[in-house]
Each structure stands twice: as structure tokens, then as C-alpha cells.
Amino acid sequence: MIGDQNSKIIVVLGTGGTIAGRADSASDNIGYTAAQLGVADVLADVPGLGALLAGQALVSEQVAQIDSKDMSFAIWRALAGRVCHHLAQPDVTGIVITHGTDTLEETAYFLHAVLPHALQNTKPVVLTCAMRPASALNPDGPQNLLDAVAVVLTPGACGVVAVCAGVVHAALDVQKNHTYRLDAFSSGDAGPLGYVEESHLRLTRNWPLALDGYALLAIYFDVHELPWPRVEIVMSYAGCSGALVDALLLPAAGVAPVQGIVVAGTGNGTLHENLEVALQRAVASGVRVVRATRCANGRVLPTGSSAFVDSKGLSPVKARISLMLELLTGMGAMPTLKNETL
Ligand code: SIN
């Protein structure tokens, strides 16, 4: 614990990532191994954190220790459970999650979709990360952590957001759009939620409100080992054969039958004709198909001419999570919990 034991608490949940990564040489920003330092050690390396806390205490907990490219449903379930548990404590101001940059947007969207409305509409859950390992000459993790804590401490802060390079993004919009730069995330057309400047948040939009639909799933995840519906992503491109879709429909050893396919279409979600007929075969065999776009910006606008529903502005990876949750609730796994609040 950092800070006063009897005060309000900020909980930092560690999941690994580059922010906890180490390389053999301080000059190496890419040849590192992610998830080497425990979250308590990562926090111990943040100058100015004690002063920023202004009387609040900081408690850390290691939920996972992974390179986020390997994110799993089991870790999401555990993370959602711990976030719910801590947010429900009256003395907890909010939560910071240290996470790898590679799937941060997926975890952020997942938590935004499943956390109880009453919790995420009153307290903040702030994911943060780093593009350089903790061993770097000039690591970005400590500043990102300070900024994340500054967001939690902002009066009125709520919802699931991400902070990187001084920019605050809403979970719904955030997308990693650069492989190397420290400012690796974008909110696309929506624009950032705000900026952290010298530990002060300049908010440019309203705090995000919880999505309708899947609230309380997190609590359900805490106690049930639900089988996650299998949803895969395919892409449309020049010369596309559609054979990948047909392959997905075949039984495969060790994996559940596919229940959903998100297709990252060209432009406004258009599909190569070969892919389109393959996806129609998928629908005919009972598979749900959702049409997103491979464009980094913009959303699929309905034209009335496609047989497949669009992703309602979600990127392919977020549309996949949304479809999984929809299939999960549609399976009758937790019908009475849908749309409830604590
Ligand atoms: C990861 O996503 O865990 C590794 C890459 C990163 O954090 O930048």
C-alpha cells in the first residue's frame, strides 16, 4: 500500500504488458519481454505518485501477468470479477488497470459492456499501458500511470476509459493505431475524451455512460464458468475466395463449432462477391454474421442492400466481443440479469 491506511483508496490491478516489461539493454525499446515486473514494482518506480495521491491510498493487486496478445476469456472473467468487487467498496475511489497496448481496446470494451451500470456510471475504471518497457532509457509507463491516477482523482470521473501519452479515450472509441509511437491510440472520429496536463484533466466530452444490455455479466462471470461462444473474424480483400469461411464451418478438433463471424469488409462494409456467398452459406447453417469495416476510421452506414447486419460503429475486434456477449445472453445463460443494475 502507498499512502494513508485510513483514507479513500485507488486500486491498481496489474495484468502485465510492456509497462511491466524488461529488455537486456536500456537502449532497446522493442527487444523486450512483456510482463516481467509485478504491479507493485511497477508502481514503486513512479516518481511523484505519493504527492499526487493527496492523502488517498493506493493498493495493488496482480490479476494476471501476460503479454496482452495472449489475453484470454479466463483472465477477462477474473478481471471483471475483481473490478466489480473493488468498485463496490464504498472507500474505493476508482480503479487503474495496467495492461498491454495490443489488446487494451478489447479489454476496455469488454469491461464497458459488462460492468454493472450503477458502478461504472459513478466510478472510473482507467486502463493504462506503455509503449516502452520499464527498463528503457526513457520509459513512458510511469507518466502514463501518473496520468491514470490523475484521471481517477478527477471529481466526477466515471466509466471505462484508457489513458496513454496524456490522452484520455473512451472504451467505445479507443483503438491502437500505431505500432511504435508513444501516442499509439486514437479515438477516431469521436475524438479523445480529454487530455491530462500536468496532472489535471481537461475534459473535452462527457464521461461515457454504461452500455445497455450486458450489465451484471461480470458478477455472473465471477461464479460461473460460462462456455464462451466461438466468434471468428475474417476480412474481405482483392481476390478473396471465401474458403476461410467454409473452413470455419467444418468441425475442428479441440474447438467449439463457430457460432458467429465478424467480417471486416472493405470501405462501407462491402464484401468480395466470393466472400458474400460463403457468408450466406454460413448464415444458412445457423451462424450469425456481422459486417464491420477494415477502415480504421468511420463506421458502416446501412444501405439497405446487404444481407448482413452492420456492427453499429464497432471495430471488428469490438464487434466480435459484442456478438459473443449477445450470443451468451441469447443462449439463456443469464436471461434475468440482462439490463439490471445493482
Ligand atoms: C502487450 O500488449 O502486452 C505488449 C505490447 C505492449 O504493451 O505495448
Side-chain angles (χ1 to χ4, degrees), residues 15-21 32-35 66-70 99-104 128-133 140 176 178-179 184-185:
T15 69
T18 296
I19 193 166
Y32 61 87
T33 309
I66 59 157
D67 184 320
S68 81
K69 71 180 174 54
D70 299 322
H99 200 288
T101 59
D102 287 344
T103 58
L104 181 146
T128 196
C129 55
M131 289 297 285
R132 291 181 183 158
D140 52 330
K176 186 172 180 180
H178 204 281
T179 55
F185 290 88

Side-chain angles (χ1 to χ4, degrees), residues 6-39:
N6 301 315
S7 58
K8 298 279 276 181
I9 294 168
I10 296 172
V11 178
V12 184
L13 301 177
T15 69
T18 296
I19 193 166
R22 290 197 67 80
D24 288 340
S25 153
S27 60
D28 190 349
N29 288 324
I30 55 170
Y32 61 87
T33 309
Q36 297 301 295
L37 294 174
V39 63

Side-chain angles (χ1 to χ4, degrees), residues 1-225:
M1 172 181 278
I2 302 175
D4 181 354
Q5 282 190 0
N6 301 315
S7 58
K8 298 279 276 181
I9 294 168
I10 296 172
V11 178
V12 184
L13 301 177
T15 69
T18 296
I19 193 166
R22 290 197 67 80
D24 288 340
S25 153
S27 60
D28 190 349
N29 288 324
I30 55 170
Y32 61 87
T33 309
Q36 297 301 295
L37 294 174
V39 63
D41 292 331
V42 171
L43 288 167
D45 272 349
V46 183
L49 188 54
L52 177 66
L53 285 171
Q56 297 218 9
L58 197 134
V59 174
S60 64
E61 184 179 315
Q62 196 78 48
V63 176
Q65 185 65 316
I66 59 157
D67 184 320
S68 81
K69 71 180 174 54
D70 299 322
M71 183 50 73
S72 67
F73 300 141
I75 294 174
W76 273 356
R77 179 184 291 128
L79 186 61
R82 295 314 291 156
V83 170
C84 268
H85 165 80
H86 288 297
L87 279 187
Q89 310 309 311
D91 56 348
V92 168
T93 311
I95 295 189
V96 172
I97 299 172
T98 57
H99 200 288
T101 59
D102 287 344
T103 58
L104 181 146
E105 69 211 59
E106 293 176 59
T107 300
Y109 177 76
F110 168 72
L111 291 174
H112 181 50
V114 304
L115 292 179
H117 293 190
L119 293 181
Q120 63 170 310
N121 286 345
T122 50
K123 293 184 181 183
V125 177
V126 183
L127 289 97
T128 196
C129 55
M131 289 297 285
R132 291 181 183 158
S135 54
L137 215 50
N138 192 5
D140 52 330
Q143 183 66 56
N144 286 345
L145 263 167
L146 274 181
D147 290 349
V149 169
V151 171
V152 171
L153 289 169
T154 303
C158 67
V160 182
V161 303
V163 177
C164 182
V167 187
V168 187
H169 306 272
L172 207 53
D173 309 310
V174 66
Q175 196 167 355
K176 186 172 180 180
N177 73 347
H178 204 281
T179 55
Y180 182 71
R181 283 191 205 143
L182 302 190
D183 189 3
F185 290 88
S186 163
S187 287
D189 289 350
L193 198 68
Y195 302 91
V196 185
E197 296 159 340
E198 299 298 310
S199 301
H200 293 287
L201 175 64
R202 176 163 58 94
L203 205 60
T204 52
R205 293 165 45 201
N206 292 334
W207 292 103
L209 290 177
L211 290 174
D212 273 345
Y214 311 115
L216 280 196
L217 262 178
I219 288 170
Y220 198 81
F221 286 150
D222 220 14
V223 288
H224 293 267
E225 290 282 316

Side-chain angles (χ1 to χ4, degrees), residues 200-286:
H200 293 287
L201 175 64
R202 176 163 58 94
L203 205 60
T204 52
R205 293 165 45 201
N206 292 334
W207 292 103
L209 290 177
L211 290 174
D212 273 345
Y214 311 115
L216 280 196
L217 262 178
I219 288 170
Y220 198 81
F221 286 150
D222 220 14
V223 288
H224 293 267
E225 290 282 316
L226 291 177
W228 285 75
R230 183 169 159 227
V231 177
E232 303 284 358
I233 300 174
V234 298
M235 189 184 271
S236 189
Y237 40 83
C240 190
S241 68
L244 275 178
V245 170
D246 291 325
L248 284 175
L249 302 182
L250 299 173
V255 287
V258 76
Q259 286 183 262
I261 296 175
V262 173
V263 56
T266 37
N268 192 28
T270 51
L271 304 174
H272 190 288
E273 56 190 351
N274 295 336
L275 184 59
E276 182 139 14
V277 290
L279 288 168
Q280 274 158 1
R281 284 194 286 277
V283 169
S285 69

